[in-house]
Structure formats: structure tokens, C-alpha cells
Amino acid sequence: MIRPKAFKYKCPNCGYSKIVKPKSDALTPLDFISICPKCNNQMERKELNAVEKIFWR
Ligand SMILES: [Zn+2]
């Protein structure tokens, strides 16, 4: 079984970001859409950077 990788959502509007670590591979479409809690903009999904990967393996 492949372990799901953590990823990050970043809001291009205000810069708010959050890291999401899926519990399983069975992601629903909702897991790929996230709305910024600060400005209600749609956040973009990003790969973790090198430092973040150390903490979110
Ligand atoms: Zn925002």
C-alpha cells in the first residue's frame, strides 16, 4: 500500500496556508478543494517544500 503524501494548500489571495495529511488513499473530491477561511478564495494545492517534508513525512 502506498502511503499518501502530505500536501499544502495555499491561498493565492492572502497567503494563508495549511498542510493536509490524508489518512488514506481514498480521497474524495472534497479533499482536493479547499476554501480559504480568511477570504473565501479557493486555495491552490502545492507540494511541501524541503523543510516541511521533514516534519510531515
Ligand atoms: Zn485567503
Side-chain angles (χ1 to χ4, degrees):
M1 183 180 147
I2 299 165
R3 239 173 105 206
K5 281 196 295 186
F7 53 88
K8 182 164 72 173
Y9 284 119
K10 182 157 191 197
C11 174
N13 192 44
C14 71
Y16 174 86
S17 66
K18 71 171 181 179
I19 293 172
V20 175
K21 191 169 191 183
K23 289 192 179 68
S24 76
D25 278 337
L27 295 176
T28 68
L30 280 178
D31 289 312
F32 295 97
I33 300 169
S34 196
I35 300 298
C36 177
K38 287 191 173 180
C39 64
N40 288 326
N41 206 53
Q42 187 169 325
M43 299 200 283
E44 294 172 349
R45 190 177 162 168
K46 305 269 191 194
E47 293 288 315
L48 296 186
N49 68 34
V51 173
E52 289 162 342
K53 278 179 181 166
I54 293 170
F55 296 102
W56 291 88
R57 274 191 289 212

